[in-house]
Amino acid sequence: DGGITQSPKYLFRKEGQNVTLSCEQNLNHDAMYWYRQDPGQGLRLIYYSQIVNDFQKGDIAEGYSVSREKKESFPLTVTSAQKNPTAFYLCASSTGLYNEQFFGPGTRLTVL
Amino acid sequence: AQKVTQAQTEISVVEKEDVTLDCVYETRDTTYYLFWYKQPPSGELVFLIRRNSFDEQNEISGRYSWNFQKSTSSFNFTITASQVVDSAVYFCALSGGNQAGTALIFGKGTTLSVSS
C-alpha cells in the first residue's frame, strides 16, 4: 500500500537532547513537509522540500533541522535549541507545492 | 499576507442534523487553492477537497458539500445528516499559486462533536 509512515508514534526526550523524527513515503511525491501542531492550534509549517537535496524554512524553523538525501525520506531533527518542543509533529507529501498534501499518522513528542 | 480564519472553535450537534463549518480566507494572489482536511481522534489528517480560485462551482460528495464564494472570500463546508463518525477537527487551508514559499496556511480548526 502506498502511503506515508512516521516513526516513532510516541517519543520522549530529556531536555538538552537532540532527537530525530522519521518520515518515509512511497507515493513517489516530489514535495515533502513538516508541520507542528499544538493543542487547539492549526498546523504550522516547519520545513518543506520540493526536490531532493533542497529544502526551505517554513514559519517556525528555529531549533529544527532537516535533510532530503532521498526522495522517499525527509527526517526532522529537533535540536536542544528548540525552546518548547513538546508537540504533535506531522509529515506530509504532495506531487507539487500547491497540490493536496497527504499526511502521515504523526509523532507525539514529549520533553521530560 | 495570507490568512485563514475559522471563527467556530467548537460545534456540537445531534445526529442527523445538518452543520456548516465556516472558512474565510485572505490572499493577494489571483491564483490560489483552498483545501479542507479532517483530523479524527487518531490524529492523521485526511484530505477532503481541493478547489482552485477559478472554479467557483459548488461541489457535492455524498453528505459533504462545499460552497466557494470569491465575493465574500469564503469556502464553507456543509455536512448533511451528520453522523457520529463525523466527529473530528476540520481544517480549512489555503495555498498561493502566485508566490512560492508558503505551502499550506491552515486555519485553527473547528472541532465538531456529533452525539447520538
Side-chain angles (χ1 to χ4, degrees), chain A residues 1 28 53 56-58 60 64 68 72 88 90 94 96 111:
Chain A
D1 285 77
N28 200 32
N53 293 322
Q56 306 294 328
K57 291 182 179 180
I60 56 166
Y64 300 97
R68 185 88 186 275
E72 304 79 22
F88 187 49
L90 286 155
S94 68
V111 174

Side-chain angles (χ1 to χ4, degrees), chain B residues 70-83:
Chain B
K70 287 180 77 169
S71 60
T72 56
S73 297
S74 65
F75 187 44
N76 297 337
F77 173 31
T78 297
I79 301 175
T80 303
S82 59
Q83 300 176 1

Side-chain angles (χ1 to χ4, degrees), chain B:
Chain B
Q2 295 184 316
K3 185 178 178 181
V4 175
T5 301
Q6 295 179 255
Q8 304 150 308
T9 305
E10 296 182 18
I11 300 176
S12 295
V13 299
V14 178
E15 258 192 323
K16 300 183 183 176
E17 281 187 43
D18 298 347
V19 58
T20 296
L21 309 181
D22 297 333
C23 173
V24 174
Y25 62 92
E26 296 175 28
T27 182
R28 293 181 181 176
D29 292 334
T30 54
T31 302
Y32 53 89
Y33 304 87
L34 295 162
F35 304 80
W36 274 96
Y37 285 86
K38 173 183 180 180
Q39 187 178 40
S42 62
E44 184 171 341
L45 266 75
V46 177
F47 166 75
L48 296 177
I49 190 171
R50 172 183 185 253
R51 174 63 89 225
N52 74 57
S53 53
F54 297 106
D55 182 3
E56 287 193 72
Q57 198 167 19
N58 290 334
E59 174 122 358
I60 298 175
S61 176
R63 296 185 297 107
Y64 294 171
S65 62
W66 291 269
N67 184 302
F68 175 32
Q69 292 195 338
K70 287 180 77 169
S71 60
T72 56
S73 297
S74 65
F75 187 44
N76 297 337
F77 173 31
T78 297
I79 301 175
T80 303
S82 59
Q83 300 176 1
V84 172
V85 293
D86 295 327
S87 297
V89 183
Y90 291 86
F91 291 99
C92 180
L94 164 73
S95 71
N98 294 0
Q99 56 179 326
T102 56
L104 284 182
I105 304 296
F106 283 84
K108 293 190 175 181
T110 296
T111 300
L112 174 64
S113 298
V114 182
S115 57
S116 57

Side-chain angles (χ1 to χ4, degrees), chain A residues 37 48 98-101 103, chain B residues 37 39 44 50 96 99-101:
Chain A
Q37 185 178 22
Y48 68 98
Y98 304 112
N99 294 336
E100 57 268 29
Q101 296 179 17
F103 285 78
Chain B
Y37 285 86
Q39 187 178 40
E44 184 171 341
R50 172 183 185 253
Q99 56 179 326

